[in-house]
Amino acid sequence: MHWSHSFYERQNALIDCYHAPIHPVHTALAARVTGHRGQPGTLLELGAGGGQFAVAAALAGHDVTALELMTGAGEHTRRLAAQHGTTVRTLTADFYTADPGGPFNAVCYWDGFGIGEDDEQRHLLSRVAGWLAAGGTAYVDVYTPWYWAHHAGFTRRTERYTQTYGFDADGCRMLDTYAPSGEEPFTQSLRCYSPADLRLLLPGTGLSLAEVWPGGAYDPRAGVYHPEVPLGECMMYVAVLEPA
Ligand SMILES: C[S@@+](CC[C@H](N)C(=O)[O-])C[C@H]1O[C@@H](n2cnc3c(N)ncnc32)[C@H](O)[C@@H]1O
């Protein structure tokens, strides 16, 4: 079984990260996507986790389908939507094989791109191109090599687990390992791409890189997260992808 089929469930069981309420970051991101599109529309979110962005997007007027692999995440998303007086269509499925319907004006994938090898990323991007309506846009968070190479070695220790970041320089992948006390450690490994690398990945997928939106960076020494930093310093950027 691929590591991604167990990592996020184990991470959630350990730190309950996908059951959080909607954060202002989700609302701001939904507003940014809406602003970029000009108006709300049909929106597919891949790897939607606990649905916090999906619900924020529904509240911004989008007709949202949230696709997520984790058992129970769809139920949590629908409950969160109901708490906020809105609805989100949920689909518990694998984005490599699922048929989410569509076409969609926007496809979003936040914090997760790069779980596979390059061919798998290409396959997923081809599927995204096929889900987009004419004039549609995909918004994909992409991890940068520079931040994660620099961040390797950073360790967070709590009473229940130790979390350590690493970097596979040959494969250009960030490594994020949780070691719960008394249990086997488990790791996520995400392929990192600069915009130049991503442009090399895109030919044949039906998508091209239209814009790059730099994201934020966590400063482990100060223990502070800076939400907007230059591209050369950020943890990830949003790749704005349009039909080629
Ligand atoms: C790092 S989490 C991010 C969750 C959410 N996007 C967020 O920003 O809070 C990545 C998510 O992608 C989901 N995922 C991974 N592989 C998937 C697949 N093949 N199909 C659907 N979802 C998948 C995981 O279960 C996990 O919830």
Side-chain angles (χ1 to χ4, degrees):
M1 192 172 68
H2 191 259
W3 62 262
S4 61
H5 286 241
S6 58
F7 177 88
Y8 300 102
E9 297 214 9
R10 290 193 68 185
Q11 184 191 32
N12 197 40
L14 190 63
I15 62 173
D16 208 28
C17 50
Y18 301 115
H19 289 158
I22 297 175
H23 189 273
V25 164
H26 301 117
T27 306
L29 194 53
R32 184 154 193 196
V33 168
T34 312
H36 188 255
R37 301 227 41 77
Q39 58 184 11
T42 48
L43 186 152
L44 170 66
E45 187 184 1
L46 303 175
Q52 292 79 7
F53 170 80
V55 175
L59 289 170
H62 295 272
D63 176 1
V64 182
T65 300
L67 194 163
E68 168 56 52
L69 192 61
M70 249 189 308
T71 322
E75 198 184 340
H76 180 266
T77 298
R78 291 195 303 277
R79 205 179 315 123
L80 192 64
Q83 277 166 14
H84 287 270
T86 188
T87 53
V88 167
R89 177 177 169 245
T90 62
L91 200 55
T92 304
D94 183 334
F95 52 48
Y96 288 126
T97 52
D99 175 6
F104 299 92
N105 302 119
V107 177
C108 299
Y109 184 11
W110 309 124
D111 188 16
F113 183 74
I115 57 172
E117 301 298 324
D118 288 348
D119 281 354
E120 290 163 313
Q121 264 84 254
R122 267 196 206 100
H123 174 58
L124 180 61
L125 290 167
S126 306
R127 303 202 83 210
V128 168
W131 292 325
L132 284 178
T137 308
Y139 304 85
V140 178
D141 272 336
V142 180
Y143 277 53
T144 67
W146 45 86
Y147 179 88
W148 296 102
H150 186 69
H151 198 62
F154 176 67
T155 299
R156 181 179 289 126
R157 284 189 183 81
T158 75
E159 276 181 12
R160 289 183 305 122
Y161 66 90
T162 301
Q163 184 186 12
T164 310
Y165 290 93
F167 191 73
D168 162 11
D170 184 70
C172 199
R173 305 183 73 95
M174 74 80 89
L175 306 171
D176 171 21
T177 300
Y178 287 87
S181 25
E183 286 177 38
E184 280 294 301
F186 56 101
T187 299
Q188 75 171 324
S189 149
L190 296 179
R191 173 76 157 96
C192 303
Y193 299 93
S194 69
D197 296 335
L198 193 65
R199 285 186 196 98
L200 291 174
L201 192 75
L202 290 173
T205 62
L207 296 173
S208 67
L209 184 59
E211 291 178 36
V212 170
W213 299 347
Y218 176 68
D219 176 350
R221 260 167 270 130
V224 176
Y225 178 73
H226 301 282
E228 274 183 48
V229 297
L231 180 62
E233 296 170 25
C234 64
M235 303 164 85
M236 55 180 117
Y237 59 90
V238 178
V240 179
L241 302 165
E242 291 180 348

